[in-house]
Amino acid sequence: MYRYDEFDQDFVTDRVAQFRDQVERRLSGELTEDQFKPLRLMNGVYLQLHAYMLRIAVPYGTLDSRQMRKLGDIARRYDRGYGHFTTRQNLQFNWPKLSDIPDILAELASVEMHAIQTSGNCIRNVTADHFAGAAADEVADPRPYAEILRQWSSLHPEFVFLPRKFKVAVTGAERDRAAIQVHDIGLHLKKDENGRLGFAVYIGGGQGRTPMIAKKIRDFLPEEDLLSYSEAILRVYNLNGRRDNKYKARIKILVHETGAGEIARQVEEEWERIRHGALKLPQGEVERIREYFAAPAGLAAKAPSASLASARQADPEFDAWVRQNTFPHRVAGHVSATISLKPIGGTPGDATADQMDVVADLAERFAFDEIRVSHEQNLILPHVAEDNLRAVYDGLVAAGLATANAGLVTDIIACPGLDYCALANARSIPVAQRISQRFGDIGRQREIGELKIKISGCINACGHHHVGHIGILGVEKKGEEFYQISLGGSGDENSAIGDIIGRGFSTDEIVDAVETIVDTYIARREAPEETFLAAYRRLGQGPFKEALYGTA
Amino acid sequence: MSDSIITANDLGNGLVVFLTADGGWSQRLADARVVGPDALPEAVAYGKAQHDARIVVEPYDIEVTLENGVPVPVRLRERIRAAGPTVAYGEAEIAERAALSKAG
Ligand code: SF4
């Protein structure tokens, strides 16, 4: 796993000392809020609806047990005993005191973590497939490239004040689990016909007020050109992106208004100028970084586990969990296990300090000390030997973490919404909880099959509602919460923005409306194998509209 | 006619506070000084001065109605901001779900 080099460590330590001084000056009255606000934002400190909020970066969602334990420790000592994992593979603490934050950052620095680049108009924390380095269907681990991008972007003086924030995602598999097509830059790591590694490059995707699917501007970019090409994209954006209007400042608007073809031409032109310069990645450098992400020592192929087979046979609930929450691993005899942070009726993405400790312990004892945060707000143990699955499961059951619902209707993404967020128009969490309860029966969930519900409390779309199979957007209408439904969105390799189905629903109506949609799907699907998304794409809006609003 | 109170966040701990009758700040909504339209500009100016004096952060006025003498914010957002999240969190949330599944 990646370790800070000395440079990173010094930088982060300096940053903590600097911020400690700034906080002291703020508390003593020397700095005004206007002076302090940009400083706190650079360190991940927001002022939310009820309190300050600290957003901590988890680069490409990768953690070890020591880091997870530290997060639990911070939750317990400085916050209210829990934290919230977000769709950006970050962790948010909702109640830190400003006066404690320098100490929290120092604690984080002691385990090579920080809160830099989690806010502001810079290149944000790079996200990656949560099964990276483990998935059977992966061409190569995307994280070394995410790390190379992180190092390049961290301190890049040219890109500290972009027109707007900038998000990059990388996937190393054909099946996109990192939603790269709704990012400012999406990179799909693949091999060309000669077996060379490189990327398909997408730009201009995004959600928010104006959702856009990214455009592919290059089918194959050789690996060594990653930074020069990214720099060319950023330069074109930095120069031409709109700074006059916050709502039009993302690169998606530039790509949309200028046209993908013209933007691609400008990028290629800029790239021609710089591609042979200092940004070319020497092969040795890629290898050096790759070593940090090498598979854990001892991860070796094993015969299929006999004990697992008999344990599954003996316990249907365990069997169901294995079926739903594990994913094929590239090393025989192993799987990746999803730890659902979506208990029935719970708050999506929340984990208590004790639960963080349990996950850390299980990772350390049974999973090569690796943990991931998924953008679907779950945790992952990427490398688990089949022989150890039962022990992992038992540990999770004891901590209330063994809900067998990965990818099912109750595996809902929800942003903090009006319960926490200062920008929200409506609540997200209670809607997620009520839907989860409505569909709580596990037999029913399995009958429904794969179905992704995603909920945002305002148009900023942190809950990814645009790409939910069923997307729910909270709005305020005449002082009341209302919920607008969109159908058919998807954040995978066939990304699509959902279609708004019609007028919105009140708080009282929304859960019934979702159930009506699900029932309509069940009634109209050709076979149980036809997923909700497939059925919607075949049927269109018609039957769902009719079921929701009648024929008029 | 319409009544208002002044709210802000405490500078040090970030928690929601309300301007009180004696010019201080309280975390309790019930302590808030309720002002009518005539007194509002002066109260807003006082809040701003407290912001400038680095005592609170981002003060603003919200509309309230009085119920049994206690101010209740008109907007849902302000009611939630004053009372805290409408959902349980942390260990309390786990306990609540456990109780629910026992009852059910
Ligand atoms: S979508 Fe809106 S309400 Fe939800 S977290 Fe983002 S800004 Fe807040």
Side-chain angles (χ1 to χ4, degrees):
Chain A
M1 192 163 130
Y2 182 70
R3 292 267 168 261
Y4 273 10
D5 57 25
E6 250 165 67
F7 172 78
D8 285 326
Q9 193 66 56
D10 289 350
F11 175 69
V12 170
T13 310
D14 285 353
R15 216 23 187 320
V16 173
Q18 194 184 42
F19 191 57
R20 189 181 293 282
D21 177 60
Q22 290 159 347
V23 168
E24 267 162 27
R25 286 192 288 144
R26 173 69 180 129
L27 292 172
S28 72
E30 224 177 290
L31 292 178
T32 65
E33 177 63 8
D34 284 350
Q35 291 166 330
F36 182 64
K37 191 172 174 179
L39 303 174
R40 69 167 161 78
L41 287 174
M42 275 169 64
N43 290 282
V45 183
Y46 289 70
L47 187 58
Q48 276 292 18
L49 193 62
H50 307 291
Y52 292 108
M53 178 270 276
L54 178 64
R55 182 181 292 158
I56 296 164
V58 182
Y60 23 87
T62 299
L63 290 166
D64 62 19
S65 60
R66 193 176 55 121
Q67 294 171 319
M68 184 62 99
R69 245 178 235 120
K70 181 60 80 179
L71 295 175
D73 181 48
I74 291 170
R76 205 173 276 123
R77 284 166 53 206
Y78 298 100
D79 207 273
R80 298 191 178 176
Y82 73 111
H84 177 73
F85 290 99
T86 76
T87 53
R88 295 273 312 139
Q89 300 180 309
N90 291 321
L91 177 75
Q92 296 182 174
F93 286 122
N94 293 310
W95 307 95
K97 293 190 183 69
L98 180 59
S99 45
D100 284 340
I101 290 177
D103 289 341
I104 298 176
L105 294 178
E107 297 272 358
L108 289 170
S110 74
V111 295
E112 303 177 354
M113 295 185 80
H114 58 78
I116 299 164
Q117 286 180 304
T118 60
S119 163
N121 295 335
C122 60
I123 301 173
R124 299 286 186 89
N125 187 21
V126 178
T127 52
D129 183 352
H130 45 265
F131 293 137
D137 62 354
E138 181 174 274
V139 169
D141 189 338
R143 290 172 305 159
Y145 306 96
E147 173 55 23
I148 288 168
L149 288 164
R150 185 194 71 81
Q151 293 190 6
W152 161 77
S153 66
S154 279
L155 291 163
H156 203 306
E158 203 178 320
F159 305 138
V160 178
F161 295 101
L162 293 169
R164 202 73 177 85
K165 59 188 166 185
F166 202 89
K167 298 176 183 173
V168 184
V170 201
T171 177
E174 206 55 49
R175 211 176 125 197
D176 176 10
R177 290 174 288 260
I180 66 164
Q181 291 178 31
V182 285
H183 282 77
D184 297 283
I185 295 180
L187 298 167
H188 169 202
L189 180 60
K190 61 186 201 176
K191 284 190 171 147
D192 71 1
E193 55 281 4
N194 302 317
R196 282 189 317 162
L197 278 171
F199 305 90
V201 181
Y202 294 79
I203 65 168
Q207 303 197 52
R209 186 173 302 266
T210 321
M212 301 267 183
I213 299 298
K215 305 284 184 305
K216 196 202 273 188
I217 59 166
R218 194 164 235 280
D219 194 52
F220 191 82
L221 177 76
E223 170 189 68
E224 67 266 23
D225 296 320
L226 174 63
L227 291 187
S228 57
Y229 203 79
S230 300
E231 180 128 340
I233 294 170
L234 262 301
R235 280 207 180 147
V236 168
Y237 168 54
N238 207 13
L239 204 62
N240 302 321
R242 289 183 56 171
R243 290 172 189 268
D244 59 321
N245 181 340
K246 185 176 157 190
Y247 299 121
K248 301 203 166 177
R250 295 288 290 267
I251 193 176
K252 63 189 175 187
I253 304 292
L254 179 68
V255 172
H256 183 71
E257 289 184 349
T258 315
E262 172 57 18
I263 291 289
R265 192 195 62 72
Q266 292 174 11
V267 169
E268 295 277 331
E269 187 177 278
E270 178 61 22
W271 183 50
E272 272 311 316
R273 284 191 339 101
I274 60 173
R275 63 184 289 192
H276 300 295
L279 285 172
K280 198 170 197 82
L281 282 172
Q283 192 50 39
E285 179 63 6
V286 180
E287 290 307 326
R288 188 180 74 82
I289 302 280
R290 214 193 306 278
E291 269 169 33
Y292 290 119
F293 297 92
L299 180 66
K302 289 185 164 188
S305 164
S307 67
L308 174 64
S310 57
R312 289 182 70 168
Q313 221 160 29
D315 181 350
E317 288 195 32
F318 173 56
D319 181 59
W321 180 81
V322 174
R323 204 158 6 116
Q324 200 61 46
N325 287 34
T326 65
F327 190 81
H329 201 284
R330 63 185 172 75
V331 178
H334 295 77
V335 293
S336 301
T338 297
I339 300 171
S340 171
L341 297 182
K342 320 290 176 64
I344 301 306
T347 299
D350 274 14
T352 64
D354 289 355
Q355 288 177 327
M356 293 182 208
D357 282 350
V358 167
V359 172
D361 289 348
L362 292 172
E364 193 172 39
R365 288 174 61 200
F366 301 116
F368 299 94
D369 206 20
E370 274 207 37
I371 304 159
R372 305 285 169 76
V373 181
S374 79
H375 82 272
E376 292 176 324
Q377 299 180 290
N378 291 316
L379 298 174
I380 312 285
L381 298 176
H383 316 293
V384 186
E386 287 178 3
D387 292 330
N388 287 330
L389 263 184
R390 180 73 217 198
V392 167
Y393 175 75
D394 288 342
L396 294 175
V397 169
L401 289 168
T403 315
N405 62 351
L408 297 178
V409 60
T410 59
D411 186 4
I412 299 168
I413 291 183
C415 79
L418 192 50
D419 283 297
Y420 291 98
C421 179
L423 303 172
N425 290 323
R427 283 172 288 175
S428 309
I429 296 167
V431 174
Q433 291 175 333
R434 284 161 54 221
I435 294 173
S436 170
Q437 277 155 353
R438 178 71 62 93
F439 293 100
D441 180 72
I442 190 69
R444 185 174 182 202
Q445 290 185 51
R446 263 182 236 132
E447 192 206 332
I448 296 165
E450 184 185 6
L451 209 178
K452 299 187 185 222
I453 298 181
K454 307 191 188 215
I455 310 174
S456 304
C458 82
I459 195 65
N460 288 328
C462 305
H464 294 183
H465 67 277
H466 292 300
V467 294
H469 300 169
I470 299 177
I472 300 175
L473 166 65
V475 296
E476 186 185 343
K477 217 168 97 184
K478 297 195 188 113
E480 303 273 326
E481 294 165 296
F482 254 78
Y483 296 91
Q484 202 172 64
I485 293 182
S486 52
L487 298 181
S490 154
D492 59 10
E493 60 283 2
N494 299 310
S495 281
I497 305 297
D499 313 312
I500 296 172
I501 187 82
R503 67 162 174 81
F505 296 89
S506 71
T507 306
D508 287 340
E509 296 165 336
I510 182 66
V511 180
D512 291 338
V514 170
E515 190 168 32
T516 300
I517 291 165
V518 172
D519 288 346
T520 305
Y521 151 66
I522 298 283
R524 301 291 297 262
R525 70 183 177 190
E526 284 180 329
E529 294 73 43
E530 189 182 40
T531 62
F532 176 86
L533 191 60
Y536 177 79
R537 284 181 176 165
R538 176 174 59 81
L539 292 162
Q541 290 195 340
F544 298 95
K545 257 199 159 119
E546 196 182 309
L548 285 171
Y549 305 111
T551 34
Chain B
M1 286 284 295
S2 91
D3 290 324
S4 301
I5 60 176
I6 307 294
T7 183
N9 291 77
D10 182 85
L11 171 61
N13 64 23
L15 297 178
V16 174
V17 288
F18 305 96
L19 179 62
T20 60
D22 63 6
W25 298 87
S26 168
Q27 287 180 26
R28 284 163 34 103
L29 182 63
D31 295 341
R33 172 190 167 201
V34 179
V35 293
D38 294 345
L40 184 60
E42 171 265 321
V44 169
Y46 181 84
K48 170 137 194 348
Q50 292 270 297
H51 171 94
D52 293 343
R54 281 70 141 171
I55 292 165
V56 294
V57 189
E58 296 182 2
Y60 61 100
D61 56 301
I62 55 179
E63 205 185 318
V64 295
T65 54
L66 287 179
E67 283 173 23
N68 305 323
V70 176
V72 176
V74 171
R75 282 189 66 200
L76 175 67
R77 176 188 198 274
E78 299 306 332
R79 287 201 297 277
I80 293 176
R81 184 168 172 279
T86 64
V87 289
Y89 52 76
E91 292 296 338
E93 192 226 276
I94 293 183
E96 192 176 86
R97 278 190 283 113
L100 211 69
S101 74
K102 257 196 208 119

